[in-house]
Amino acid sequence: MASSMFLAQRRWFLSLPRNLSNARFFSALPSEHPVSVSGPQNNVGPESNKFEKASSAPSSLKEPELAKFSAIADTWWDSEGPFKPLHKMNPTRLAFLRSTLCRHFRKDPLSARPFEGLRFIDVGCGGGILSEPLARMGATVTGIDAIEKNIKIACLHANLDPTTSTIEYCCTTAEKLVEEQRKFDAVIALEVIEHVADAAEFCKSLSALTAHEGATVVSTINRSMRSYATAIVAAEYLLQWLPKGTHQWSSFLTPEELTMILKRAGVDVKEMAGFVYNPLTGRWSLSDDISVNFIAYGTKEK
């Protein structure tokens, strides 16, 4: 099953130019420069549940994106609210993470807590809907987000369960943690990169946070006509699964572009899969179809 699932991706990788790092990168990303998040950065500790003042750091996040997600921050744990698609997709995202990271770190995927002893960071953690299950699988989790309201909600929800109350939530940016020389065994940024102003700089930060022989996982939406029809027209306007304006098609990355930009940042993509939604069952599944939603797992190059 696993070998056939990613056969198409392996064929696609073999077709890429071998001097990938020297290949020309064609991007349709916005040209905005990275912005700084004004005001104090706040830190939430797993024990004190208090915010501490931290210095501001440059961020690749766009200011309009911060305002957009701050406005709906209170709905993170409403499975029928604006984040319903992420709640629906979460089991499939976790299945990919369990499979690839257990293989990478030589862990038993059938174990209840396969990530015991490993340090993970959830970049752009939002309300913690990914951080919490990772903590339940044994990982020592740090969740970061540039939106203070997200961190407050994530911390409050995590404290309802002793297993997740150990999560370290911080209102900060990946760039700030790079300055602090933090390192993690696995750096995970799911459905984030399409909301940053500079994807290349963002991936450099992800790479810098990844420890030697660590793993980096990024998911996003392909910049294809099919993604425009499904992720924007259908999801935002027809089905109204997401607030209008959640995504900008020009900010999406193709699988080739993401692979190249990660390569230049020092991350070698090893595996890629698509997320496909079945409207009849209402469920997502892993697929070799990467024309819309896709996820990439890579390793830190020596």
Side-chain angles (χ1 to χ4, degrees), residues 131-154:
S131 296
E132 289 198 13
L134 290 175
R136 292 190 179 96
M137 285 191 276
T140 300
V141 179
T142 296
I144 67 169
D145 202 287
I147 299 174
E148 183 177 318
K149 287 175 66 177
N150 286 348
I151 292 298
K152 287 181 177 179
I153 289 166

Side-chain angles (χ1 to χ4, degrees), residues 120-125 128 130-131 134 141-145 188-190:
F120 288 5
I121 182 169
D122 181 8
V123 179
C125 65
L130 183 71
S131 296
L134 290 175
V141 179
T142 296
I144 67 169
D145 202 287
I188 303 167
L190 306 190

Side-chain angles (χ1 to χ4, degrees), residues 55-239:
S55 59
S56 61
S59 171
S60 56
L61 290 164
K62 305 173 190 175
E63 288 285 4
E65 298 294 307
L66 293 175
K68 182 194 310 178
F69 286 101
S70 180
I72 56 175
D74 293 338
T75 65
W76 265 107
W77 287 97
D78 179 3
S79 60
E80 296 297 322
F83 297 107
K84 179 179 179 178
L86 289 183
H87 283 274
K88 290 282 189 180
M89 190 187 291
N90 223 27
T92 310
R93 302 195 301 179
L94 290 165
F96 182 87
L97 291 172
R98 180 186 283 269
S99 173
T100 54
L101 296 182
C102 281
R103 192 180 330 118
H104 178 86
F105 294 110
R106 296 179 175 85
K107 299 287 187 176
D108 180 8
L110 300 179
S111 169
R113 295 173 62 83
F115 300 141
E116 199 85 55
L118 296 173
R119 297 161 298 153
F120 288 5
I121 182 169
D122 181 8
V123 179
C125 65
I129 65 174
L130 183 71
S131 296
E132 289 198 13
L134 290 175
R136 292 190 179 96
M137 285 191 276
T140 300
V141 179
T142 296
I144 67 169
D145 202 287
I147 299 174
E148 183 177 318
K149 287 175 66 177
N150 286 348
I151 292 298
K152 287 181 177 179
I153 289 166
C155 193
L156 287 171
H157 195 274
N159 284 341
L160 298 175
D161 184 346
T163 305
T164 57
S165 64
T166 59
I167 298 173
E168 177 194 10
Y169 283 119
C170 304
C171 184
T172 187
T173 64
E175 293 84 355
K176 176 62 179 176
L177 294 190
V178 171
E179 291 179 4
E180 297 173 3
Q181 299 184 349
R182 297 283 298 273
K183 295 287 183 181
F184 301 88
D185 298 304
V187 176
I188 303 167
L190 306 190
E191 281 70 55
V192 175
I193 196 169
E194 64 267 26
H195 300 290
V196 305
D198 192 326
E201 290 302 315
F202 181 69
C203 285
K204 287 179 182 178
S205 296
L206 299 183
S207 177
L209 291 173
T210 307
H212 175 62
E213 298 185 345
T216 306
V217 183
V218 179
S219 69
T220 187
I221 304 175
N222 192 349
R223 194 177 67 256
S224 64
M225 291 310 298
R226 187 175 172 188
S227 73
Y228 183 82
T230 58
I232 295 181
V233 176
E236 296 183 16
Y237 290 88
L238 300 180
L239 300 175

